[in-house]
Amino acid sequence: MNQPKITEEIISANAKQTDGQGQVIEIIHSDVKPSHLNALRVRGGNRLKGDIKISGAKNAALKHMCAALLTDQPVQFTNMPVTLGDVRTMAELLDYLGMTVALRSDGVAMLHAKEIKTTIAPYDLVRKMRASVLVLGPLLARCGQADISMPGGCAIGTRPIDLHLMGFKAMGAEIELDGGYVKARAPKGLKGAHITFPFVSVGATENVMMAATLAEGITVLSNAAREPEIVDQGNALIAMGAKIEGLGTSEIRIEGVSSLNGATHACIPDRIETGTYMCAVGLAGGEVRLKNTRTDFLASLIGPLIGAGMEIKQDGNDVFVHRNGSHLKGIDIMTEPYPGFATDLQAQFMAMMTMCKGAGMITETVFENRFMHVPELCRMGADITVQGNSAIIRGVEKLKGAEVMATDLRASVALVLAGLVAEGETVVNRIYHLDRGYENIVEKLTGVGADIERVSER
Ligand code: UD1
């Protein structure tokens, strides 16, 4: 595809024009879906067959958008999941800070922070999404100051941001907590530092890495996170002129530069969405081709899936996923930072295990409160016992449809997966979280034969 030229005309925060490539579908506003269709009804029993196109990675896309704050030049990203609630929430926040944001239906995001209008990210915008805190590093690096309301997001534990702040302090910033806001100041600019994180944090690694691109001197991040989304973010920053080495390892070295430039970068495929649909096939059975994605960054999921009895093969840019008639074997997994088993796939894996042969154990080591889907799965007939941060799942013969509700993104999708095999009708309420993180989930699942539709909450 020929990339469109980035022009001031295209990047107009209020224009809804096309350039022959794709329509500008959205400028700001995060309320995407009509509010009355806030539940999903699933009728279980269909095997899945067909193709699902995987979207760009939400957790990379959000960081790419924040990184555009680091330069006064236009930046363009392709393969972006532009219809996601979280992407729109981020667009809204960035627009407020002074960036012009155009999100196009063909997955192109055009971002231009020519000037920063304000360095204050208010509660109303930040409370919806924890990733909002990732504007802190770029604002502090570019403007020498930032006031960010403490973040909200999924209710999966206390989720402090002390490691982010530790990094900025080491780089010379003064940090104060006042009235629910983090107030960070570095009037003379940030200075390179050697920062050793006491444990691995994805967000702290990303936030501090972004800030370090414009700091004076060299920053070394030890015990850094190694997630593919961080590598992707680092590659985008390198395309913008940053000097970064060690991406994908636990030691990242960043040599600060005086300014960054515009660039074009393609966002990686969403490995969590990919893994979610793999678990869907594992539970419902069938054969599905996941298009535009990769297996290399999902080794920790694919190993157990194959061990449990599935067939998974990379075929060019597609991944073929198959489970025949027989049920999967029970398997034990433990969540860990990458390259370990992703905590963001734990709930989906558990839903898949509910109907396994034998039993499986899941241990959650990343977040302390991430079993909220368990009582809901049990209401559908699952046999799960939680002890501390471990859950034992004993396979049952069948699940039964029920009205269920979840309070975090991945838990919500786990309930949808359970609905795919449950007898009768499952209604998943409060799908607000689902729309934050899964593009066109109803269309994608319907396309492979699932019986699922949006309905109004009863
Ligand atoms: C990111 C992902 C999220 C994923 C998580 C772990 C995005 C937008 N979100 O979240 O989907 O589940 O990585 O893979 O990319 N912690 C602290 N202090 C801090 C920072 C983190 O104690 O300053 C703790 C957290 O509470 C958690 C653990 O560290 O227990 C890991 O969190 P972290 O890796 O930072 O996750 P996020 O970046 O928030």
Side-chain angles (χ1 to χ4, degrees):
M1 184 176 84
N2 289 332
Q3 294 304 338
K5 274 214 185 104
I6 304 174
T7 64
E8 283 302 319
E9 289 78 50
I10 292 175
I11 306 179
S12 160
N14 296 308
K16 293 217 173 210
Q17 76 273 54
T18 60
D19 65 353
Q21 301 271 337
Q23 201 166 11
V24 175
I25 52 162
E26 176 67 19
I27 308 301
I28 43 176
H29 297 306
S30 54
D31 297 322
V32 210
K33 305 291 175 199
S35 57
H36 59 287
L37 295 179
N38 49 6
L40 281 186
R41 178 166 55 210
V42 195
R43 293 188 183 92
N46 296 359
R47 286 168 71 78
L48 306 179
K49 190 170 173 47
D51 295 352
I52 295 178
K53 184 171 179 294
I54 298 300
S55 298
K58 167 179 92 73
N59 286 352
L62 295 173
K63 324 307 168 52
H64 291 327
M65 294 173 79
C66 294
L69 284 171
L70 288 163
T71 173
D72 61 4
Q73 300 296 308
V75 186
Q76 175 175 284
F77 295 101
T78 59
N79 197 36
M80 295 279 274
V82 291
T83 63
L84 287 182
D86 274 5
V87 168
R88 287 156 190 251
T89 302
M90 185 60 86
E92 210 173 335
L93 171 60
L94 295 172
D95 173 84
Y96 179 87
L97 298 176
M99 186 188 287
T100 52
V101 179
L103 304 178
R104 284 189 348 195
S105 57
D106 58 354
V108 175
M110 284 168 286
L111 313 166
H112 192 183
K114 195 171 184 177
E115 275 173 305
I116 304 290
K117 279 200 220 128
T118 173
T119 52
I120 302 172
Y123 176 68
D124 256 9
L125 290 170
V126 173
R127 72 181 164 83
K128 295 183 193 166
M129 185 180 64
R130 181 177 161 80
S132 314
V133 75
L134 286 147
V135 301
L136 181 50
L139 287 177
L140 190 57
R142 178 159 163 192
C143 309
Q145 61 179 54
D147 292 9
I148 314 286
S149 174
M150 292 291 276
C154 285
I156 46 174
T158 48
R159 303 185 82 175
I161 56 165
D162 54 319
L163 300 185
H164 301 233
L165 303 185
M166 180 196 117
F168 298 132
K169 274 188 201 153
M171 296 172 81
E174 283 177 15
I175 312 267
E176 202 187 310
L177 299 178
D178 183 18
Y181 277 75
V182 174
K183 299 188 171 179
R185 298 287 179 273
K188 293 187 187 139
L190 294 169
K191 300 229 167 8
H194 190 151
I195 299 156
T196 303
F197 293 113
F199 56 92
V200 177
S201 160
V202 173
T205 303
E206 292 165 333
N207 219 350
V208 178
M209 179 167 80
M210 282 192 281
T213 59
L214 292 181
E216 193 191 315
I218 290 168
T219 300
V220 176
L221 305 181
S222 293
N223 203 19
R226 296 186 273 164
E227 268 66 3
E229 292 74 22
I230 295 173
V231 177
D232 196 43
Q233 183 192 39
N235 286 334
L237 290 167
I238 290 170
M240 291 165 69
K243 292 188 177 166
I244 305 175
E245 287 170 13
L247 290 168
T249 75
S250 53
E251 186 157 293
I252 302 178
R253 184 181 181 277
I254 307 120
E255 187 181 335
V257 294
S258 55
S259 66
L260 293 178
N261 44 259
T264 295
H265 177 83
C267 184
I268 53 168
D270 197 313
R271 68 192 161 102
I272 305 302
E273 190 194 23
T274 304
T276 299
Y277 290 121
M278 286 177 177
C279 292
V281 177
L283 186 57
E287 44 188 60
V288 170
R289 184 170 284 274
L290 302 175
K291 300 190 78 69
N292 187 35
T293 191
R294 297 166 24 188
T295 47
D296 56 332
F297 47 36
L298 272 170
S300 60
L301 171 69
I302 291 172
L305 290 182
I306 291 175
M310 287 181 76
E311 188 191 346
I312 296 176
K313 275 193 221 136
Q314 181 91 40
D315 179 15
N317 288 333
D318 299 346
V319 178
F320 175 75
V321 185
H322 174 236
R323 174 173 79 73
N324 64 19
S326 60
H327 281 261
L328 296 178
K329 281 193 294 203
I331 289 267
D332 298 347
I333 54 124
M334 179 163 83
T335 66
E336 281 171 311
Y338 191 85
F341 191 100
T343 174
D344 284 354
L345 284 167
Q346 180 257 106
Q348 301 89 312
F349 195 85
M350 185 182 291
M352 191 187 76
M353 282 285 117
T354 54
M355 289 185 60
C356 69
K357 282 187 284 194
M361 183 159 89
I362 295 183
T363 304
E364 171 62 56
T365 73
V366 179
F367 290 110
E368 78 269 27
N369 187 19
R370 213 172 191 182
F371 282 144
M372 287 178 301
H373 40 287
V374 170
E376 300 298 291
L377 287 171
C378 290
R379 291 182 61 236
M380 296 175 73
D383 180 352
I384 306 170
T385 310
V386 174
Q387 268 181 355
N389 65 346
S390 290
I392 296 177
I393 306 106
R394 295 186 180 85
V396 293
E397 283 293 313
K398 63 178 178 194
L399 296 180
K400 281 198 175 164
E403 198 166 328
V404 289
M405 184 168 74
T407 46
D408 90 61
L409 171 56
R410 309 302 170 183
S412 308
V413 83
L415 299 175
V416 174
L417 298 197
L420 294 176
V421 287
E423 258 178 28
E425 202 173 278
T426 298
V427 175
V428 184
N429 288 320
R430 304 247 178 111
I431 54 169
Y432 153 77
H433 279 292
L434 209 53
D435 289 329
R436 284 184 38 212
Y438 284 91
E439 269 201 319
N440 305 322
I441 184 164
V442 172
E443 294 75 11
K444 289 185 186 188
L445 283 172
T446 308
V448 291
D451 186 348
I452 177 169
E453 63 184 327
R454 280 179 193 273
V455 294
S456 15
E457 205 165 287
R458 282 179 222 159

